[in-house]
Amino acid sequence: MRRWNGWGDDAIDFALNEDMLGFLRARVGESKPPADATLAEACRTVLPSRLAPHKAIDATPEVRLRHAFGQSLPDWLRLRYGRIVSVPDGVAFPESSGQVRELLDYARRIDAVVIPYGGGTSVVGHLTAPENGKAVITVDLSRLSNLIDFDPQAQLATFGAGIAGPDLEAQLRARGYTLGHFPQSFEYSTLGGWIVTRSSGQQSLRYGRIEQLFAGGRLETPTGTLAIPTFPASAAGTDLREIVLGSEGRMGILTEATVRITSLPQREAFHAAFFPHWAEAEDAVRSIAQAKLPLSMLRLSNPVETQTTLAMAGHNRMIGLLQAYLRMRGCGEQKCMLLLGASGDTASVAHALNQALRIAGDHRGVHAGAAIGEKWKQNRFRNVYLRNVLWQRGYAVDTVETAVDWPRVRGMMQSVEQAARDALSAFGERVHAYTHLSHMYAQGASVYTTFAYRLAGRYDEDLARWKAMKGAVCTAIVANGGTISHQHGVGVDHAPYLQAEKGALGIGAIRELCRHFDPTGMMNPGKLLPTA
């Protein structure tokens, strides 16, 4: 069953070896697990619904609670400590675009707020119910999950926007195709969620980000239905897909989406290489990205993340042998690990890997074979479960991500990590911060940083620590010329920093678009745009 106050299935645990726990303790200190509220205790704090009984809306406390939060650290703090302030007044489960239309019309009549709900995996506060005195209806799209149309000749497939990643891929795989969109949240996030937050999958180097995959769809808005037809390309003015992409529920609810699909690859392979220092590693991945080889993935870990990954791996004897071999090849304490993958026919996969490893070798890269890469592939949707087990040991884990042009990558990485250290040092705390480049482009890269630090065990103090750290790292991102979000969206947490990227004129244009489709502001207020 889905965890109500953490990540994923409650039957799945991350196996945390004692060496890894000792590794973390040495860097941030001993910690004690906080006392978690129970589900029953949290449900008792849910206030009565302000909605009149409605046959399409579930107003029971547990259903409302389970739809009130995503996966951001503030969401976890509220759930774990039982600080349930604001939840939706009811949850609807429509089964068609027509039923979504009826719900929007009903919400407009009673002057209620509407929050779309996909997989509940947001890490930036997309699901937070506003405290503005109005009733709140959350629209759970999980029943809009069918395959509506499949066109192998055009390589297009249309799905209900509430379909989750595994179900989408299963339906395509049965027909010999894939979408190829694999964010870390893949097991629970939805097609509609990917589109309205401009998601990026781990193998986007081959398949493209969601904006390349989204071909058309249907958006139900308070003022009517926006139908976006599919074209291979068009010069007919503004691309209406761009209005939906990144809209975060502010303009309406995406109910159907047509996506561009690809034949299943004949072969996939994931390999690892190590570099003595960051400078050689960054030069190598930039050269590989700019060579535009037909790879599906490049992921480069800095020295601290490399050390952390190897500490987490277990298999001490095997890792020890690897470390000894790498030292012989000049990769010591400052080594950086590169994971690279290729997908396609057998010949193109071999060519892409050989060319990429040749470039890596030109920059003193040491090929370490396929074992580490295949292990990463096996666990790539499981590593997020580490958040659960570390919480149980008294540690918080959070992330930020951005993207910058190549000349700014190293400075961004260093500034974000230092900003977190400085912010938590004000509380007398240390943070274990580490970074990888998660997506590579000819122009630049995504910089993705993880933070692990001790919990205080008290809600107010833990929230204060997070706010200080989040504010500091977001400020560092803006100061170093990065986007406030490469793949997580804006939500509530990033909204204050959006104007630095879009400018006042750009923010005004987005506001006018929202007002056009949603004149009364009923759709997911408080998200995406900074408070006016």
Side-chain angles (χ1 to χ4, degrees):
M1 187 174 181
R2 184 85 175 265
R3 279 183 174 86
W4 71 277
N5 64 350
W7 177 262
D9 191 318
D10 59 13
I12 299 175
D13 285 317
F14 187 97
L16 182 67
N17 65 71
E18 287 302 314
D19 288 342
M20 175 57 191
L21 191 58
F23 177 88
L24 184 59
R25 285 170 175 159
R27 283 151 183 80
V28 302
E30 294 271 358
S31 193
K32 296 179 181 179
D36 288 351
T38 67
L39 176 58
E41 289 169 340
C43 286
R44 283 197 291 271
T45 69
V46 174
L47 296 174
S49 174
R50 294 167 289 185
L51 292 171
H54 189 289
K55 64 180 181 180
I57 297 174
D58 189 332
T60 56
E62 183 174 337
V63 169
R64 293 162 57 202
L65 177 68
R66 286 181 175 271
H67 287 80
F69 301 98
Q71 293 292 321
S72 72
L73 193 56
D75 289 337
W76 274 43
L77 294 176
R78 294 184 186 101
L79 289 168
R80 296 278 187 162
Y81 287 111
R83 295 295 188 93
I84 313 301
V85 177
S86 182
V87 304
D89 294 274
V91 182
F93 298 85
E95 298 181 4
S96 67
S97 294
Q99 290 181 8
V100 171
R101 174 83 266 143
E102 291 171 3
L103 286 164
L104 293 180
D105 292 343
Y106 170 70
R108 188 175 66 250
R109 286 197 304 271
I110 67 170
D111 194 27
V113 164
V114 174
I115 300 177
Y117 185 99
T121 60
S122 167
V123 293
V124 292
H126 285 114
L127 305 176
T128 304
E131 299 176 48
N132 61 3
K134 293 185 178 183
V136 178
I137 301 171
T138 288
V139 179
D140 183 316
L141 300 169
S142 58
R143 296 180 187 174
L144 275 69
S145 58
N146 55 318
L147 175 60
I148 298 168
D149 186 61
F150 177 75
D151 185 345
Q153 190 171 12
Q155 291 195 322
L156 295 172
T158 302
F159 292 93
I163 191 168
D167 296 331
L168 180 149
E169 281 294 331
Q171 296 217 45
L172 291 178
R173 183 170 292 272
R175 294 164 172 83
Y177 287 85
T178 181
L179 181 62
H181 192 76
F182 302 109
Q184 191 174 49
S185 61
F186 170 77
E187 293 181 317
Y188 295 100
S189 54
T190 65
L191 175 59
W194 300 338
I195 292 166
V196 302
T197 60
R198 301 188 79 104
S199 170
S200 186
Q202 293 167 339
Q203 291 175 259
S204 64
L205 199 57
R206 169 177 170 82
Y207 298 106
R209 287 168 55 94
I210 200 65
E211 52 260 48
Q212 283 87 52
L213 299 173
F214 176 48
R218 178 182 178 125
L219 186 75
E220 297 294 347
T221 83
T223 53
T225 300
L226 177 66
I228 304 174
T230 63
F231 302 105
S234 171
T238 300
D239 188 343
L240 295 179
R241 292 175 307 151
E242 286 292 339
I243 293 174
V244 179
L245 286 158
S247 57
E248 302 192 6
R250 287 301 303 265
M251 300 174 197
I253 297 178
L254 185 67
T255 61
E256 297 177 7
T258 301
V259 288
R260 300 179 175 111
I261 57 178
T262 304
S263 297
L264 283 169
Q266 190 178 65
R267 182 186 171 212
E268 282 195 320
F270 296 87
H271 285 237
F274 290 83
F275 297 85
H277 301 95
W278 178 262
E280 294 108 328
E282 185 183 328
D283 286 346
V285 295
R286 183 176 66 251
S287 296
I288 293 169
Q290 291 175 345
K292 299 187 177 179
L293 300 173
L295 296 166
S296 61
M297 185 193 77
L298 287 168
R299 174 183 168 130
L300 176 65
S301 297
N302 75 356
V304 180
E305 178 163 295
T306 299
Q307 187 180 23
T308 304
T309 299
L310 295 177
M312 286 172 53
H315 308 290
N316 290 347
R317 183 174 179 277
M318 184 170 63
I319 295 298
L321 290 172
L322 173 65
Q323 301 253 46
Y325 169 71
L326 291 172
R327 280 194 296 272
M328 289 175 54
R329 298 290 305 273
C331 298
E333 292 301 311
Q334 291 301 306
K335 62 182 171 293
C336 300
M337 181 175 71
L338 170 66
L339 295 175
L340 62 166
S343 308
D345 63 78
T346 301
S348 66
V349 167
H351 171 74
L353 288 173
N354 287 338
Q355 289 297 103
L357 290 169
R358 180 190 60 76
I359 294 172
D362 291 343
H363 293 84
R364 301 179 66 198
V366 178
H367 184 205
I372 294 174
E374 291 301 322
K375 190 68 173 177
W376 171 86
K377 180 184 177 183
Q378 177 184 336
N379 291 322
R380 61 176 166 169
F381 306 130
R382 296 297 178 93
N383 288 336
V384 69
Y385 282 89
L386 178 64
R387 292 182 74 193
N388 296 328
V389 69
L390 285 179
W391 180 283
Q392 293 163 7
R393 301 300 186 103
Y395 299 96
V397 177
D398 201 17
T399 62
V400 299
E401 43 78 36
T402 181
V404 286
D405 298 342
W406 283 114
R408 297 179 176 180
V409 164
R410 187 170 189 173
M412 177 66 77
M413 176 178 69
Q414 294 171 339
S415 295
V416 167
E417 291 185 1
Q418 189 61 48
R421 286 190 285 266
D422 292 345
L424 285 188
S425 69
F427 296 86
E429 293 294 323
R430 292 176 287 165
V431 61
H432 181 55
Y434 51 91
T435 300
H436 65 268
L437 307 186
S438 62
H439 297 78
M440 313 294 174
Y441 308 92
Q443 179 181 345
S446 166
V447 181
Y448 193 110
T449 304
T450 300
F451 313 101
Y453 59 95
R454 296 195 304 179
L455 289 161
R458 296 173 295 279
Y459 172 78
D460 291 334
E461 187 169 347
D462 280 325
L463 184 60
R465 289 181 184 183
W466 176 83
K467 284 183 175 180
M469 186 182 74
K470 183 70 173 181
V473 298
C474 287
T475 299
I477 286 171
V478 170
N480 284 272
T483 176
I484 199 59
S485 179
H486 169 264
Q487 64 205 63
H488 289 164
V490 177
V492 172
D493 298 341
H494 294 156
Y497 308 93
L498 192 64
Q499 184 157 329
E501 181 171 332
K502 305 297 185 187
L505 197 61
I507 291 292
I510 298 171
R511 285 195 194 280
E512 286 303 314
L513 273 173
C514 293
R515 191 173 293 118
H516 175 73
F517 291 105
D518 177 25
T520 63
M522 62 184 271
M523 297 303 306
N524 212 12
K527 317 310 184 328
L528 180 62
L529 291 165
T531 303

